[in-house]
Structures are given as C-alpha cells and as structure tokens.
Amino acid sequence: HRSRELQWSRLSNLRELNVGTYCTDQFLAMISGGNGDTCTERSNERGDMMLPELERLGMSRSCHVAEEALLNLTTRDGSGRIRTNLRELDAAFCSNITYEAVIQFRTLLPNCLLRRLPEWMCGHTETPFGENDMGEVHTYWPDGTFSYNREHQSKGFVMRIDILGSDASHVSEKLQFIDLDTLERMPSWFRSGFRPSVSLLRLERDIGTAAQHVLVAQRKGGIKHLKFFPKKEQAQIVPLGSSRHFDLEGKCLNDDEVESSSQGRNFTLAMVSHMRKSKLQKEEHFSPLELVGEIASYLERTKETDEEIRIETARDTGFENTEDLVDGALSGIAALVETENDYRYNDNMVATPLNPDAPRSLRTNFGTI
C-alpha cells in the first residue's frame, strides 16, 4: 500500500482522473486522506491527501463501491477542512450510490456535482404526451432528480439505472415519484412499491445541433422495464414526437389491436416513444435545491413505512417481489391485501376497504374477485 501511495503522490497536481470500473473503497479513502484499511470509519485525522488538486473523478460502472466510502469524501478532518476539492464526481451506473448520497453532497459539498446519470440521459426531453396541445417536457438532472411540467406524478428521482445487455446506450431506469396524490386511497405497500421502470435507447444527435434523439419504451400498464425494447429499427417506424404500440415480438399494432388488448388489461404490449432531448446549460447542471429538499423530506417520511411494510407472498402465488405484486394489483389478477385495511380493486383501480376494523397485518393474500 505504501509504494502505491508514493506513486500517486507524484501526481499531486492532477486535476482530472477517470478510473472507470476500477475504483475501490480503499482508493476513495486514500485520495481523501482517510484510512485505506478502514474506510468506513470516520477518522478525525486528516492524513495526507494523495491528490489534493483533483477536481474531477470518473468512476462510472464501479458497481462494488460502497456508498459509505463515497460519503467519506464529505467529512471533515480534525482541523475542520473538508477532505476533498472535487467539483464533479461521475458515479453513473454505480448501483450502491443512492439518492441519500445526493442529499449529503448537496448539504456538505454544495459545489461538487455528484453525477448518477450519464450525460446523454440528462436534459429537457420533449415528449409526445400532454393535454390541450401543451407538450410535456421532462427534465432530468445529472444527480437523478427529475421534474415534469404536469400536475400529478410530476417530480421525484431516479432510484437506479441498469445497462441492458452490454450496450451502455440501452438502459432501464426505475423512478420514484414523490407526489403520488392519485394513489392516496391505495394501501401503503402499493404506494411504496409503485416505482415504474422505463427502458431507453440513445440514438444519433441532430445534425448541426446538440439535441439528442432517444427511444423510450414502457409497458402498457405494469411497472417493470422491458428488457428487449426499444429497438433501434423502431426509430424508422415511430416518427419523432409520437408513440406507437408493439407486441413483444416487435409487431407494430394498429388502434383496433391496441384497444382489443386493453380490454383484457394485457401487459404484454410495449409503448415506444421517439423523443428529442436538449442538453442542460452549464448553469443548469445542479438540480433545484428546493426540489432536493422536497425529496429529502419525502424520504424521511417514508423511512418508517418502508421498514414496516414487508410483503410476504405465499409460495403458490407466483409473486416473487414487490414489482410483481404491484403488477398483479394493476392487472386482472385482483389482490386481497391485509394491511391497515383489506382493499378490493375494481377495473378502474379504485380501492374499497372490505373490513375497516380488521387488525393490521403484514401478510399478503391473493384471490380472485
């Protein structure tokens, strides 16, 4: 370890470094002057920072880095000095880095941009959705914060992103909305588990501009991502600024076929949208501090709920996780849920308590209505 530190010390004036997938907890501790052997302990002694002038660090796809090791960069040494001079840290595709880290960085390192999304996923996206001829614009910031210009289900954060296959241009993202007012009548497990996923595919940029084209695929109903959608050739079928529906074999469906599937609440359809994304301006790279504060408050409120609500599915139901459970409730497979109350769902997803006086239970049962 000592010889390695001596090698790094010769790069004391280095300002930008990309270690890619090779970043480790020990490396983060070393550059911050912490204890490389016990990086998860908050040391009171500064130690020698190996790269004191480092401003930009790339560690994208270093999936094994622990969040605690990253957060050590936000601590102060015995003299009260912060442990790093970083201005940007690229942690895209690092699955252990949650939005909690964003909150801590914004509080303790307000001038350091913690990137959780790759650059091409950030910006203002012109969608084919919206009402009264007013197009919806979805804005994503590098730290995973997002905001849509609509009234409901309009803001929140990206919980995680995953590469689909080996191509980092084809990803899925899981979203957590913080304003699910339309789900107020749903039981706690449903609101906590309603984290829809979409799949994205990066296309070429507009010639002569910085605008990025993307295809976005989501299930017609349900919240799971589509692993094999969208497909590049669908950009020729789906005009820019519009959406089309496909079956899972890739056949583009007409309106009658879509309507027929909808009557059966069929979740085996993919809706693919072709969108244009414009880049954020330099002064827009940091997400609005007020919105970060709203998300922090939301996470604080839901901590107790997330700890209390544990879905225990019976072995013969076929529901292995909360995503399956939510999809089951959204589909024609009606769920009888024992929680604060028992709820029955109709076709319009209106929940009716069956027995308001029933005792609280964390057990989940399924049956046919």
Side-chain angles (χ1 to χ4, degrees), residues 250-282:
K251 176 189 174 184
C252 187
L253 305 178
N254 59 39
D255 292 344
D256 290 338
E257 290 171 318
V258 173
E259 179 64 25
S260 175
S261 296
S262 298
Q263 291 177 359
R265 302 187 68 80
N266 190 336
F267 287 174
T268 59
L269 296 184
M271 183 178 75
V272 177
S273 304
H274 192 169
M275 308 182 189
R276 178 190 286 116
K277 184 186 294 286
S278 58
K279 294 180 64 174
L280 295 170
Q281 299 300 313
K282 187 175 181 179

Side-chain angles (χ1 to χ4, degrees), residues 8-26:
W8 283 110
S9 67
R10 296 169 183 168
L11 301 174
S12 58
N13 293 323
L14 188 66
R15 294 182 179 274
E16 187 168 343
L17 174 64
N18 186 356
V19 295
T21 61
Y22 300 102
C23 190
T24 64
D25 295 351
Q26 290 74 19

Side-chain angles (χ1 to χ4, degrees), residues 109-129:
L109 286 177
N111 295 320
C112 180
L113 176 65
L114 176 57
R115 177 180 292 279
R116 296 174 63 242
L117 304 183
E119 184 177 359
W120 68 268
M121 291 181 65
C122 306
H124 308 288
T125 305
E126 304 166 18
T127 78
F129 318 128

Side-chain angles (χ1 to χ4, degrees), residues 68-176:
E68 184 70 14
L70 190 73
L71 292 179
N72 277 336
L73 296 173
T74 68
T75 62
R76 298 180 181 274
D77 63 15
S79 64
R81 294 177 298 182
I82 206 72
R83 292 187 179 276
T84 179
N85 291 318
L86 282 173
R87 292 294 177 264
E88 182 173 346
L89 198 158
D90 183 1
F93 301 110
C94 295
S95 54
N96 292 331
I97 310 305
T98 70
Y99 199 86
E100 298 278 4
V102 173
I103 296 170
Q104 186 150 334
F105 264 69
R106 290 301 295 273
T107 303
L108 301 175
L109 286 177
N111 295 320
C112 180
L113 176 65
L114 176 57
R115 177 180 292 279
R116 296 174 63 242
L117 304 183
E119 184 177 359
W120 68 268
M121 291 181 65
C122 306
H124 308 288
T125 305
E126 304 166 18
T127 78
F129 318 128
E131 299 178 355
N132 302 322
D133 297 324
M134 296 291 292
E136 271 186 28
V137 176
H138 296 181
T139 299
Y140 284 78
W141 286 273
D143 60 13
T145 308
F146 66 79
S147 176
Y148 305 163
N149 64 337
R150 65 189 188 195
E151 290 188 13
H152 303 291
Q153 295 186 34
S154 63
K155 53 189 174 182
F157 61 96
V158 177
M159 293 191 66
R160 61 178 292 145
I161 55 174
D162 294 286
I163 298 174
L164 299 177
S166 59
D167 187 357
S169 295
H170 187 201
V171 305
S172 70
E173 61 178 7
K174 179 179 287 191
L175 309 177
Q176 175 67 73

Side-chain angles (χ1 to χ4, degrees), residues 146-365:
F146 66 79
S147 176
Y148 305 163
N149 64 337
R150 65 189 188 195
E151 290 188 13
H152 303 291
Q153 295 186 34
S154 63
K155 53 189 174 182
F157 61 96
V158 177
M159 293 191 66
R160 61 178 292 145
I161 55 174
D162 294 286
I163 298 174
L164 299 177
S166 59
D167 187 357
S169 295
H170 187 201
V171 305
S172 70
E173 61 178 7
K174 179 179 287 191
L175 309 177
Q176 175 67 73
F177 291 95
I178 64 170
D179 57 341
L180 291 173
D181 298 337
T182 56
L183 300 180
E184 282 183 351
R185 297 186 63 188
M186 298 298 141
S188 298
W189 67 262
F190 188 95
R191 295 195 303 272
S192 297
F194 186 78
R195 293 161 177 165
S197 295
V198 297
S199 303
L200 300 91
L201 180 66
R202 177 175 58 173
L203 302 174
E204 289 73 21
R205 296 185 182 276
D206 280 345
I207 298 176
T209 74
Q212 174 78 61
H213 285 210
V214 293
L215 290 179
V216 180
Q218 55 189 310
R219 288 181 182 271
K220 190 177 184 298
I223 64 172
K224 282 188 169 183
H225 73 265
L226 291 156
K227 184 175 181 180
F228 300 107
F229 282 84
K231 304 175 186 294
K232 191 172 183 178
E233 57 268 22
Q234 290 168 343
Q236 307 302 319
I237 303 174
V238 184
L240 180 64
S242 65
S243 301
R244 296 289 186 271
H245 290 89
F246 296 82
D247 63 21
L248 294 189
E249 294 181 356
K251 176 189 174 184
C252 187
L253 305 178
N254 59 39
D255 292 344
D256 290 338
E257 290 171 318
V258 173
E259 179 64 25
S260 175
S261 296
S262 298
Q263 291 177 359
R265 302 187 68 80
N266 190 336
F267 287 174
T268 59
L269 296 184
M271 183 178 75
V272 177
S273 304
H274 192 169
M275 308 182 189
R276 178 190 286 116
K277 184 186 294 286
S278 58
K279 294 180 64 174
L280 295 170
Q281 299 300 313
K282 187 175 181 179
E283 61 273 13
E284 295 181 294
H285 281 186
F286 284 94
S287 55
L289 193 57
E290 181 179 356
L291 181 51
V292 175
E294 289 184 57
I295 295 173
S297 298
Y298 170 85
L299 290 174
E300 191 62 34
R301 293 195 308 271
T302 57
K303 274 182 180 179
E304 184 175 348
T305 301
D306 284 344
E307 291 176 358
E308 289 180 358
I309 304 300
R310 294 289 182 264
I311 305 302
E312 298 178 6
T313 59
R315 292 182 179 179
D316 58 351
T317 64
F319 292 94
E320 298 179 354
N321 52 49
T322 307
E323 286 185 337
D324 288 331
L325 184 63
V326 171
D327 276 359
L330 285 167
S331 72
I333 306 173
L336 298 180
V337 181
E338 291 180 23
T339 173
E340 294 178 337
N341 300 298
D342 284 349
Y343 286 82
R344 185 186 297 273
Y345 302 92
N346 65 15
D347 288 340
N348 296 319
M349 277 306 296
V350 175
T352 304
L354 298 177
N355 183 3
D357 299 323
R360 181 185 178 92
S361 172
L362 298 183
R363 178 180 170 80
T364 301
N365 296 322

